[in-house]
Amino acid sequence: MTPNPQEPSFRDSVDIMFNRAVALMDLPPGLEEKIRVCNATYTVRFGVRLRGKIQTFTGYRSVHSEHMEPVKGGIRYSMAVNQDEVEALAALMTYKCALVDAPFGGSKGGLCIDPREYDEYELELITRRFAYELIKRDLINPAQNVPAPDMGTGEREMAWIADQYKRMNTTDINGVACVTGKPINAGGIQGRTEATGRGVQYALHAFFRDKEGLKKAGLTGGLEGKRVIVQGLGNVGYHAAKFLSEEDGCKVIGVIEYNGAVYDEKGINIEALKTYINHSGSPDGFPGATFTTNGAEMLEEDCDILIPAALEGVINLGNAARIKAPLIIEAANGPVTAGADDILREKGCVIVPDMYANAGGVTVSYFEWVKNLSHIRFGRMQRRQEETRHQLIVDELERISRDTSISWTLSPNFKEKYLRGAGELELVRSGLDDTMSDAYRTMAEVWHGRDDVTDLRTAAYLVSIGKVAQSYRAKGL
Ligand code: NAD
C-alpha cells in the first residue's frame, strides 16, 4: 500500500489519538510527554547462512514504557516492519495493558521478512538467531521483556524462542516465562491461540449489552443475524469470525484476504473457507461465493459490523467516507488512521478501538506468564475438591427428593454440568470474559458519562493514560 502523503505515519496517528485524549486531562507538567514518548528502540542486523549464501535480516525491539515490568508485546514477521511501525505498536501495548489491568509496560518487536518465502527449517534458524540477539541484551527475559505472537508468527516461533532462551540461561528456573503464546507442551496455556479472536467476540458481547452504545451506532437487537465483513483470516480474524458465526448466529457475508475477497450474502462457512484457503492459497473459487481480486473494496460494502483483522492503515483518508458499516471493531492494531477516525466519527460510525478490541491476546498471555511463574496448571489443586463439594449438594438434593413426598427431579444435564469442576480452559475463558466486560464498563462510563467525550477510543485512552499516570506518580515521577 502506498502511503498517502496527507496521512500521518502509524506512529504519528497513535500520538494524534493520544493527544486528543490528553487535552481532556489534567496531568502534571511534563508527564504527558513522558508517557507518550517511546523509551528505546533497538535495531539489529544479523546474517544467517541460507541456500549457500549469507542473508542479512533487520529486526527491531521497541520498549515504549517501563512504568511496569516486564514489558510485553508481540513479535511480527512482515516485509512492512519498520521502526515507526514497531514504535506505534509498542505504544499501543502500553495503553492496552493498562486498560485491561495486565501488569506490564508496552513493547513490540518485528523482523523484516516475508515468512512465506522460507521453509520451516530456515525459519527456525532465522528465529533462533533473532532471539539470540534480543536475549543477550535482555530484550527477551521473563522479568524484563516478554514477547508473544503477532502477524506472521505463532506458537511454533514462540516455542523456538523459549528453547533458545533456555539454552542461553540454563539455570533460570522461570525461563519458560520469557515468552507467551507457546504450545501447551512447551509451557503454553489452554485457550491462548484463539484468545485474541475470543476477546473480539467478548468485546462484541459487552458492546451489545450496552443499550446506549448500540443506540449511538444505530443498531438494535443482539448479535444474531448481524451481517459481518472480516478482513484477514489469520489467527485473529479466523477465530473471531468462527466464534461469531458458529456461537452467536452472526452471518459472515464477506471475507477479505491479501489476494482477494469472497462474498456470500447467505453467510460464509468460516471453517470450510479456512480449509479451502489452506489448500489452495487463495479464496478464489470457494464454492457458492463471489470472488473479487480487489479485496480492499469490500471494506466499503454494506454490513452491520466490519472487523479489520489484518494490518494497519486499511481504513484511511482514501476510503473512510465510503465505509458503510455503523460499527467497526478493530481486531487488528491501528487499522483506522487518525484522519479516517475523524471522518468516521463525523458520520456517526462507532469504533471499538484496537487497544480494547484485541486485548484478549495479552490478557491470556498474562495468565500464561503467571502459570509459568507458578509452575502449576490453573485448576490443578482445586478441581477435584470443587467436584467433591458439588457432589455433596447433588447427593443431598437427591436424598431430600427421595425422603419427602414432594416429587421433583433435577433438569437434564444439570448434574453433569454442575458436577464438572473448572479446568484450565474454563478458567481462562472466565478470566478473559471478566476482563473484557470490566474494561468495557470502565470505557463506557467515560464515553456515556462525559459530555466532552464523544467516542470510545478517546474514552479508552482516558482510562489507560490515567492508569499509567498513576503508576508514574507512585514511582515518584
Ligand atoms: P496472522 O499473520 O495470523 O494473520 C493475518 C492475516 O491477514 C493473514 O491471513 C494474511 O494473509 C492477511 N492479510 C495480510 N495482508 C492483508 C491485506 N492487505 N488484506 C487482507 N488480508 C491481509 O496475524 P494475526 O496474529 O491474526 O494478527 C492480525 C492483526 O491482529 C495484527 O494487526 C496484529 O497486530 C493484531 N493482533 C494480533 C494478536 C495475536 O494474538 N495474534 C493480538 C493482538 C493484536
Short mmCIF file of all heavy atoms in Angstrom, two decimals, residues 196-214 219 221-224 226 239-250 305 307 327 329 352 356-357 429-430 432-441 443-444 456:
data_model
loop_
_atom_site.label_atom_id
_atom_site.label_comp_id
_atom_site.label_asym_id
_atom_site.label_seq_id
_atom_site.Cartn_x
_atom_site.Cartn_y
_atom_site.Cartn_z
N THR A 196 -7.19 -13.90 21.15
CA THR A 196 -7.48 -12.56 20.62
C THR A 196 -8.83 -12.56 19.90
O THR A 196 -9.64 -11.65 20.09
CB THR A 196 -6.33 -12.08 19.71
OG1 THR A 196 -5.09 -12.29 20.40
CG2 THR A 196 -6.46 -10.61 19.39
N GLY A 197 -9.08 -13.61 19.11
CA GLY A 197 -10.38 -13.73 18.43
C GLY A 197 -11.51 -13.90 19.43
O GLY A 197 -12.59 -13.33 19.30
N ARG A 198 -11.26 -14.68 20.46
CA ARG A 198 -12.26 -14.89 21.53
C ARG A 198 -12.53 -13.54 22.23
O ARG A 198 -13.66 -13.20 22.54
CB ARG A 198 -11.70 -15.93 22.50
CG ARG A 198 -12.56 -16.35 23.64
CD ARG A 198 -13.84 -17.05 23.26
NE ARG A 198 -13.69 -18.46 22.91
CZ ARG A 198 -14.71 -19.19 22.41
NH1 ARG A 198 -15.89 -18.67 22.19
NH2 ARG A 198 -14.51 -20.45 22.09
N GLY A 199 -11.46 -12.76 22.43
CA GLY A 199 -11.61 -11.44 23.05
C GLY A 199 -12.45 -10.51 22.19
O GLY A 199 -13.24 -9.71 22.71
N VAL A 200 -12.28 -10.59 20.87
CA VAL A 200 -13.10 -9.77 19.96
C VAL A 200 -14.58 -10.16 20.14
O VAL A 200 -15.46 -9.29 20.23
CB VAL A 200 -12.66 -9.99 18.48
CG1 VAL A 200 -13.63 -9.32 17.51
CG2 VAL A 200 -11.25 -9.46 18.26
N GLN A 201 -14.84 -11.46 20.26
CA GLN A 201 -16.22 -11.93 20.48
C GLN A 201 -16.75 -11.38 21.82
O GLN A 201 -17.86 -10.85 21.89
CB GLN A 201 -16.23 -13.46 20.50
CG GLN A 201 -17.62 -14.05 20.75
CD GLN A 201 -17.57 -15.53 21.16
OE1 GLN A 201 -16.59 -15.98 21.76
NE2 GLN A 201 -18.62 -16.25 20.84
N TYR A 202 -15.97 -11.48 22.88
CA TYR A 202 -16.42 -11.00 24.19
C TYR A 202 -16.61 -9.48 24.18
O TYR A 202 -17.50 -8.95 24.84
CB TYR A 202 -15.43 -11.40 25.30
CG TYR A 202 -15.41 -12.89 25.62
CD1 TYR A 202 -14.34 -13.46 26.31
CD2 TYR A 202 -16.46 -13.73 25.25
CE1 TYR A 202 -14.31 -14.82 26.62
CE2 TYR A 202 -16.42 -15.10 25.56
CZ TYR A 202 -15.34 -15.63 26.24
OH TYR A 202 -15.32 -16.97 26.54
N ALA A 203 -15.75 -8.79 23.42
CA ALA A 203 -15.89 -7.33 23.31
C ALA A 203 -17.23 -6.99 22.66
O ALA A 203 -17.93 -6.07 23.09
CB ALA A 203 -14.74 -6.75 22.49
N LEU A 204 -17.60 -7.76 21.63
CA LEU A 204 -18.89 -7.51 20.97
C LEU A 204 -20.05 -7.87 21.89
O LEU A 204 -21.09 -7.20 21.90
CB LEU A 204 -18.98 -8.28 19.65
CG LEU A 204 -18.23 -7.61 18.49
CD1 LEU A 204 -18.20 -8.50 17.26
CD2 LEU A 204 -18.86 -6.25 18.13
N HIS A 205 -19.88 -8.93 22.70
CA HIS A 205 -20.93 -9.25 23.69
C HIS A 205 -21.13 -8.05 24.61
O HIS A 205 -22.26 -7.64 24.89
CB HIS A 205 -20.55 -10.46 24.54
CG HIS A 205 -20.58 -11.76 23.79
ND1 HIS A 205 -20.22 -12.96 24.36
CD2 HIS A 205 -20.94 -12.06 22.53
CE1 HIS A 205 -20.35 -13.92 23.48
NE2 HIS A 205 -20.77 -13.40 22.35
N ALA A 206 -20.00 -7.49 25.09
CA ALA A 206 -20.09 -6.35 26.02
C ALA A 206 -20.75 -5.17 25.31
O ALA A 206 -21.61 -4.50 25.89
CB ALA A 206 -18.70 -5.98 26.52
N PHE A 207 -20.37 -4.92 24.05
CA PHE A 207 -20.96 -3.79 23.32
C PHE A 207 -22.46 -3.98 23.13
O PHE A 207 -23.25 -3.05 23.31
CB PHE A 207 -20.27 -3.61 21.96
CG PHE A 207 -20.82 -2.45 21.19
CD1 PHE A 207 -20.39 -1.16 21.50
CD2 PHE A 207 -21.79 -2.62 20.23
CE1 PHE A 207 -20.93 -0.06 20.81
CE2 PHE A 207 -22.34 -1.54 19.55
CZ PHE A 207 -21.89 -0.25 19.85
N PHE A 208 -22.86 -5.19 22.79
CA PHE A 208 -24.30 -5.43 22.54
C PHE A 208 -25.13 -5.46 23.82
O PHE A 208 -26.35 -5.44 23.77
CB PHE A 208 -24.50 -6.70 21.68
CG PHE A 208 -24.41 -6.39 20.21
CD1 PHE A 208 -23.17 -6.24 19.60
CD2 PHE A 208 -25.55 -6.19 19.45
CE1 PHE A 208 -23.08 -5.90 18.25
CE2 PHE A 208 -25.47 -5.86 18.10
CZ PHE A 208 -24.24 -5.71 17.49
N ARG A 209 -24.46 -5.50 24.98
CA ARG A 209 -25.21 -5.36 26.25
C ARG A 209 -25.40 -3.88 26.61
O ARG A 209 -26.18 -3.56 27.49
CB ARG A 209 -24.44 -6.05 27.40
CG ARG A 209 -24.54 -7.57 27.41
CD ARG A 209 -24.07 -8.15 28.75
NE ARG A 209 -22.66 -7.90 29.01
CZ ARG A 209 -21.66 -8.72 28.70
NH1 ARG A 209 -21.91 -9.87 28.12
NH2 ARG A 209 -20.40 -8.40 29.00
N ASP A 210 -24.64 -3.01 25.94
CA ASP A 210 -24.65 -1.58 26.24
C ASP A 210 -25.71 -0.88 25.37
O ASP A 210 -25.44 -0.51 24.22
CB ASP A 210 -23.24 -1.02 25.97
CG ASP A 210 -23.17 0.49 26.09
OD1 ASP A 210 -24.13 1.11 26.60
OD2 ASP A 210 -22.13 1.06 25.67
N LYS A 211 -26.90 -0.70 25.91
CA LYS A 211 -28.03 -0.17 25.13
C LYS A 211 -27.72 1.23 24.57
O LYS A 211 -28.07 1.55 23.44
CB LYS A 211 -29.31 -0.12 25.98
CG LYS A 211 -29.78 -1.49 26.45
CD LYS A 211 -30.29 -2.33 25.28
CE LYS A 211 -30.46 -3.80 25.65
NZ LYS A 211 -29.60 -4.73 24.93
N GLU A 212 -27.04 2.05 25.41
CA GLU A 212 -26.72 3.40 24.96
C GLU A 212 -25.71 3.38 23.80
O GLU A 212 -25.84 4.15 22.85
CB GLU A 212 -26.12 4.17 26.14
CG GLU A 212 -26.75 5.53 26.31
CD GLU A 212 -26.17 6.26 27.50
OE1 GLU A 212 -26.10 5.66 28.60
OE2 GLU A 212 -25.79 7.43 27.34
N GLY A 213 -24.74 2.47 23.90
CA GLY A 213 -23.74 2.34 22.85
C GLY A 213 -24.40 1.88 21.54
O GLY A 213 -24.12 2.42 20.46
N LEU A 214 -25.29 0.90 21.66
CA LEU A 214 -26.00 0.38 20.47
C LEU A 214 -26.77 1.51 19.80
O LEU A 214 -26.79 1.62 18.57
CB LEU A 214 -27.00 -0.69 20.91
CG LEU A 214 -26.51 -2.13 20.98
CD1 LEU A 214 -27.64 -3.04 21.40
CD2 LEU A 214 -25.95 -2.60 19.63
N LEU A 219 -27.81 0.68 15.99
CA LEU A 219 -28.10 -0.76 15.87
C LEU A 219 -29.15 -1.16 16.90
O LEU A 219 -29.29 -0.50 17.93
CB LEU A 219 -26.83 -1.56 16.09
CG LEU A 219 -25.78 -1.52 14.98
CD1 LEU A 219 -24.44 -2.05 15.49
CD2 LEU A 219 -26.23 -2.30 13.76
N GLY A 221 -31.19 -4.84 18.79
CA GLY A 221 -31.19 -6.30 18.96
C GLY A 221 -29.85 -6.84 19.40
O GLY A 221 -28.98 -6.11 19.90
N GLY A 222 -29.67 -8.16 19.19
CA GLY A 222 -28.43 -8.82 19.60
C GLY A 222 -27.56 -9.13 18.39
O GLY A 222 -27.78 -8.61 17.28
N LEU A 223 -26.59 -10.01 18.60
CA LEU A 223 -25.66 -10.36 17.51
C LEU A 223 -26.29 -11.29 16.46
O LEU A 223 -25.86 -11.30 15.31
CB LEU A 223 -24.42 -11.03 18.11
CG LEU A 223 -23.36 -10.09 18.67
CD1 LEU A 223 -22.35 -10.85 19.52
CD2 LEU A 223 -22.64 -9.37 17.53
N GLU A 224 -27.28 -12.04 16.89
CA GLU A 224 -27.96 -12.99 15.99
C GLU A 224 -28.37 -12.30 14.67
O GLU A 224 -29.06 -11.29 14.69
CB GLU A 224 -29.20 -13.54 16.73
CG GLU A 224 -30.07 -14.49 15.95
CD GLU A 224 -29.58 -15.92 16.01
OE1 GLU A 224 -29.09 -16.34 17.09
OE2 GLU A 224 -29.68 -16.60 14.97
N LYS A 226 -26.66 -10.58 12.58
CA LYS A 226 -25.92 -9.38 12.15
C LYS A 226 -24.97 -9.76 11.01
O LYS A 226 -24.31 -10.81 11.06
CB LYS A 226 -25.13 -8.77 13.32
CG LYS A 226 -26.03 -8.15 14.39
CD LYS A 226 -26.61 -6.83 13.95
CE LYS A 226 -27.49 -6.19 14.99
NZ LYS A 226 -28.79 -6.83 15.24
N HIS A 239 -10.49 -16.78 14.12
CA HIS A 239 -11.17 -17.17 15.36
C HIS A 239 -12.37 -16.27 15.64
O HIS A 239 -13.43 -16.74 16.04
CB HIS A 239 -10.18 -17.19 16.54
CG HIS A 239 -9.26 -18.36 16.50
ND1 HIS A 239 -7.93 -18.25 16.22
CD2 HIS A 239 -9.50 -19.69 16.67
CE1 HIS A 239 -7.37 -19.47 16.22
NE2 HIS A 239 -8.31 -20.35 16.51
N ALA A 240 -12.21 -14.95 15.42
CA ALA A 240 -13.34 -14.04 15.68
C ALA A 240 -14.51 -14.43 14.78
O ALA A 240 -15.65 -14.57 15.24
CB ALA A 240 -12.91 -12.60 15.44
N ALA A 241 -14.24 -14.62 13.48
CA ALA A 241 -15.32 -14.94 12.53
C ALA A 241 -15.95 -16.29 12.86
O ALA A 241 -17.18 -16.46 12.78
CB ALA A 241 -14.76 -14.94 11.11
N LYS A 242 -15.13 -17.24 13.24
CA LYS A 242 -15.63 -18.59 13.56
C LYS A 242 -16.57 -18.53 14.78
O LYS A 242 -17.69 -19.03 14.74
CB LYS A 242 -14.42 -19.49 13.85
CG LYS A 242 -14.74 -20.90 14.29
CD LYS A 242 -13.43 -21.65 14.55
CE LYS A 242 -13.66 -22.92 15.33
NZ LYS A 242 -14.33 -23.97 14.56
N PHE A 243 -16.12 -17.90 15.87
CA PHE A 243 -16.94 -17.86 17.09
C PHE A 243 -18.22 -17.06 16.86
O PHE A 243 -19.29 -17.46 17.32
CB PHE A 243 -16.15 -17.28 18.27
CG PHE A 243 -14.90 -18.06 18.61
CD1 PHE A 243 -13.75 -17.43 19.05
CD2 PHE A 243 -14.89 -19.45 18.50
CE1 PHE A 243 -12.60 -18.15 19.36
CE2 PHE A 243 -13.74 -20.18 18.81
CZ PHE A 243 -12.60 -19.53 19.24
N LEU A 244 -18.10 -15.92 16.15
CA LEU A 244 -19.29 -15.08 15.95
C LEU A 244 -20.33 -15.79 15.09
O LEU A 244 -21.53 -15.67 15.33
CB LEU A 244 -18.89 -13.75 15.30
CG LEU A 244 -18.14 -12.78 16.22
CD1 LEU A 244 -17.51 -11.64 15.44
CD2 LEU A 244 -19.08 -12.22 17.30
N SER A 245 -19.87 -16.54 14.09
CA SER A 245 -20.85 -17.22 13.23
C SER A 245 -21.34 -18.52 13.86
O SER A 245 -22.53 -18.81 13.84
CB SER A 245 -20.26 -17.48 11.84
OG SER A 245 -19.06 -18.21 11.93
N GLU A 246 -20.44 -19.29 14.47
CA GLU A 246 -20.87 -20.60 15.00
C GLU A 246 -21.60 -20.49 16.33
O GLU A 246 -22.47 -21.30 16.64
CB GLU A 246 -19.65 -21.52 15.16
CG GLU A 246 -19.06 -21.95 13.83
CD GLU A 246 -17.83 -22.84 14.00
OE1 GLU A 246 -17.47 -23.18 15.14
OE2 GLU A 246 -17.22 -23.18 12.96
N GLU A 247 -21.23 -19.50 17.15
CA GLU A 247 -21.81 -19.44 18.50
C GLU A 247 -22.82 -18.33 18.69
O GLU A 247 -23.69 -18.44 19.56
CB GLU A 247 -20.67 -19.28 19.54
CG GLU A 247 -19.70 -20.45 19.51
CD GLU A 247 -18.49 -20.22 20.42
OE1 GLU A 247 -18.51 -19.29 21.23
OE2 GLU A 247 -17.52 -21.00 20.27
N ASP A 248 -22.71 -17.23 17.92
CA ASP A 248 -23.60 -16.09 18.16
C ASP A 248 -24.60 -15.86 17.04
O ASP A 248 -25.37 -14.89 17.09
CB ASP A 248 -22.77 -14.81 18.36
CG ASP A 248 -21.93 -14.89 19.63
OD1 ASP A 248 -22.47 -15.29 20.67
OD2 ASP A 248 -20.72 -14.57 19.58
N GLY A 249 -24.54 -16.67 16.00
CA GLY A 249 -25.53 -16.55 14.92
C GLY A 249 -25.29 -15.39 13.98
O GLY A 249 -26.19 -14.99 13.23
N CYS A 250 -24.06 -14.80 13.99
CA CYS A 250 -23.77 -13.74 13.01
C CYS A 250 -23.64 -14.37 11.62
O CYS A 250 -23.28 -15.54 11.49
CB CYS A 250 -22.44 -13.05 13.34
SG CYS A 250 -22.49 -12.01 14.78
N ILE A 305 -21.40 -5.04 10.94
CA ILE A 305 -20.16 -4.99 11.73
C ILE A 305 -18.98 -5.24 10.79
O ILE A 305 -18.95 -6.25 10.07
CB ILE A 305 -20.16 -6.08 12.84
CG1 ILE A 305 -21.42 -5.98 13.71
CG2 ILE A 305 -18.90 -5.97 13.69
CD1 ILE A 305 -21.61 -7.13 14.68
N ILE A 307 -14.96 -5.95 10.63
CA ILE A 307 -13.85 -6.37 11.51
C ILE A 307 -12.53 -6.38 10.73
O ILE A 307 -12.17 -7.38 10.11
CB ILE A 307 -14.11 -7.79 12.09
CG1 ILE A 307 -15.52 -7.90 12.68
CG2 ILE A 307 -13.04 -8.14 13.13
CD1 ILE A 307 -15.82 -9.22 13.38
N LEU A 327 -20.72 0.02 12.68
CA LEU A 327 -19.88 -0.42 13.80
C LEU A 327 -18.61 -1.06 13.24
O LEU A 327 -18.68 -1.99 12.43
CB LEU A 327 -20.65 -1.44 14.66
CG LEU A 327 -19.89 -2.05 15.83
CD1 LEU A 327 -19.53 -1.00 16.87
CD2 LEU A 327 -20.70 -3.17 16.50
N ILE A 329 -15.08 -2.89 14.61
CA ILE A 329 -14.33 -3.37 15.77
C ILE A 329 -12.91 -3.67 15.30
O ILE A 329 -12.69 -4.51 14.42
CB ILE A 329 -15.03 -4.54 16.50
CG1 ILE A 329 -14.17 -5.06 17.65
CG2 ILE A 329 -15.47 -5.65 15.58
CD1 ILE A 329 -14.92 -5.73 18.76
N VAL A 352 -14.97 0.41 17.96
CA VAL A 352 -14.47 -0.22 19.19
C VAL A 352 -12.96 -0.29 18.99
O VAL A 352 -12.47 -0.98 18.10
CB VAL A 352 -15.08 -1.63 19.40
CG1 VAL A 352 -14.56 -2.23 20.70
CG2 VAL A 352 -16.60 -1.56 19.41
N TYR A 356 -8.62 -1.95 23.07
CA TYR A 356 -9.55 -2.78 23.83
C TYR A 356 -9.92 -4.04 23.03
O TYR A 356 -9.83 -5.16 23.56
CB TYR A 356 -10.82 -1.98 24.15
CG TYR A 356 -11.95 -2.85 24.65
CD1 TYR A 356 -11.86 -3.46 25.90
CD2 TYR A 356 -13.07 -3.11 23.87
CE1 TYR A 356 -12.88 -4.30 26.36
CE2 TYR A 356 -14.08 -3.94 24.32
CZ TYR A 356 -13.98 -4.53 25.57
OH TYR A 356 -14.96 -5.37 26.02
N ALA A 357 -10.28 -3.85 21.76
CA ALA A 357 -10.86 -4.94 20.97
C ALA A 357 -9.93 -6.16 20.87
O ALA A 357 -10.39 -7.30 20.87
CB ALA A 357 -11.22 -4.44 19.59
N ARG A 429 -11.18 -18.87 30.01
CA ARG A 429 -12.30 -18.18 29.35
C ARG A 429 -13.03 -17.27 30.32
O ARG A 429 -13.43 -16.16 29.97
CB ARG A 429 -13.29 -19.21 28.79
CG ARG A 429 -12.77 -19.82 27.53
CD ARG A 429 -13.88 -20.48 26.77
NE ARG A 429 -13.32 -21.22 25.66
CZ ARG A 429 -13.86 -22.29 25.13
NH1 ARG A 429 -15.00 -22.77 25.60
NH2 ARG A 429 -13.28 -22.90 24.12
N SER A 430 -13.21 -17.75 31.56
CA SER A 430 -13.94 -16.92 32.51
C SER A 430 -13.12 -15.68 32.87
O SER A 430 -13.64 -14.56 32.94
CB SER A 430 -14.33 -17.78 33.73
OG SER A 430 -13.84 -17.26 34.90
N LEU A 432 -10.94 -14.21 30.94
CA LEU A 432 -10.93 -13.33 29.77
C LEU A 432 -12.25 -12.58 29.64
O LEU A 432 -12.27 -11.36 29.41
CB LEU A 432 -10.66 -14.17 28.51
CG LEU A 432 -10.70 -13.44 27.17
CD1 LEU A 432 -9.68 -12.30 27.14
CD2 LEU A 432 -10.43 -14.40 26.02
N ASP A 433 -13.36 -13.30 29.81
CA ASP A 433 -14.69 -12.68 29.70
C ASP A 433 -14.83 -11.57 30.75
O ASP A 433 -15.28 -10.46 30.47
CB ASP A 433 -15.76 -13.77 29.91
CG ASP A 433 -17.11 -13.33 29.38
OD1 ASP A 433 -17.21 -12.19 28.88
OD2 ASP A 433 -18.07 -14.12 29.47
N ASP A 434 -14.40 -11.88 31.96
CA ASP A 434 -14.49 -10.92 33.06
C ASP A 434 -13.65 -9.68 32.75
O ASP A 434 -14.09 -8.54 32.94
CB ASP A 434 -13.99 -11.60 34.34
CG ASP A 434 -14.25 -10.75 35.56
OD1 ASP A 434 -15.41 -10.36 35.76
OD2 ASP A 434 -13.30 -10.46 36.29
N THR A 435 -12.43 -9.91 32.24
CA THR A 435 -11.53 -8.79 31.92
C THR A 435 -12.14 -7.90 30.84
O THR A 435 -12.14 -6.67 30.95
CB THR A 435 -10.17 -9.34 31.41
OG1 THR A 435 -9.63 -10.19 32.43
CG2 THR A 435 -9.19 -8.24 31.10
N MET A 436 -12.69 -8.54 29.78
CA MET A 436 -13.25 -7.75 28.68
C MET A 436 -14.50 -7.00 29.13
O MET A 436 -14.71 -5.85 28.74
CB MET A 436 -13.57 -8.66 27.47
CG MET A 436 -12.37 -9.35 26.84
SD MET A 436 -11.01 -8.27 26.32
CE MET A 436 -11.67 -7.43 24.89
N SER A 437 -15.33 -7.62 29.98
CA SER A 437 -16.54 -6.93 30.47
C SER A 437 -16.16 -5.75 31.34
O SER A 437 -16.72 -4.66 31.22
CB SER A 437 -17.42 -7.83 31.34
OG SER A 437 -17.65 -9.02 30.73
N ASP A 438 -15.22 -5.99 32.22
CA ASP A 438 -14.80 -4.94 33.16
C ASP A 438 -14.19 -3.74 32.41
O ASP A 438 -14.52 -2.59 32.71
CB ASP A 438 -13.71 -5.53 34.05
CG ASP A 438 -14.06 -5.38 35.49
OD1 ASP A 438 -15.26 -5.51 35.82
OD2 ASP A 438 -13.14 -5.10 36.29
N ALA A 439 -13.30 -4.04 31.47
CA ALA A 439 -12.65 -2.95 30.72
C ALA A 439 -13.70 -2.20 29.92
O ALA A 439 -13.64 -0.97 29.81
CB ALA A 439 -11.56 -3.51 29.81
N TYR A 440 -14.67 -2.91 29.34
CA TYR A 440 -15.71 -2.20 28.57
C TYR A 440 -16.48 -1.25 29.48
O TYR A 440 -16.76 -0.11 29.12
CB TYR A 440 -16.68 -3.18 27.89
CG TYR A 440 -17.63 -2.43 26.98
CD1 TYR A 440 -17.26 -2.11 25.68
CD2 TYR A 440 -18.85 -1.94 27.45
CE1 TYR A 440 -18.08 -1.35 24.86
CE2 TYR A 440 -19.67 -1.18 26.64
CZ TYR A 440 -19.29 -0.89 25.35
OH TYR A 440 -20.10 -0.11 24.55
N ARG A 441 -16.81 -1.75 30.68
CA ARG A 441 -17.59 -0.94 31.61
C ARG A 441 -16.83 0.36 31.95
O ARG A 441 -17.41 1.45 31.93
CB ARG A 441 -17.87 -1.74 32.88
CG ARG A 441 -18.88 -1.12 33.83
CD ARG A 441 -19.06 -1.96 35.08
NE ARG A 441 -17.83 -2.53 35.63
CZ ARG A 441 -16.88 -1.83 36.26
NH1 ARG A 441 -17.04 -0.55 36.47
NH2 ARG A 441 -15.79 -2.42 36.70
N MET A 443 -14.60 1.93 30.16
CA MET A 443 -14.59 2.83 28.98
C MET A 443 -15.96 3.46 28.78
O MET A 443 -16.09 4.65 28.52
CB MET A 443 -14.29 2.02 27.71
CG MET A 443 -12.89 1.64 27.47
SD MET A 443 -12.69 0.97 25.80
CE MET A 443 -13.97 -0.25 25.67
N ALA A 444 -17.02 2.61 28.90
CA ALA A 444 -18.37 3.09 28.62
C ALA A 444 -18.81 4.15 29.63
O ALA A 444 -19.51 5.09 29.28
CB ALA A 444 -19.35 1.92 28.61
N LEU A 456 -15.53 6.05 21.76
CA LEU A 456 -14.96 5.02 22.63
C LEU A 456 -13.43 5.06 22.68
O LEU A 456 -12.83 4.72 23.68
CB LEU A 456 -15.39 3.64 22.13
CG LEU A 456 -16.54 2.94 22.85
CD1 LEU A 456 -16.87 1.62 22.17
CD2 LEU A 456 -16.22 2.69 24.32
#
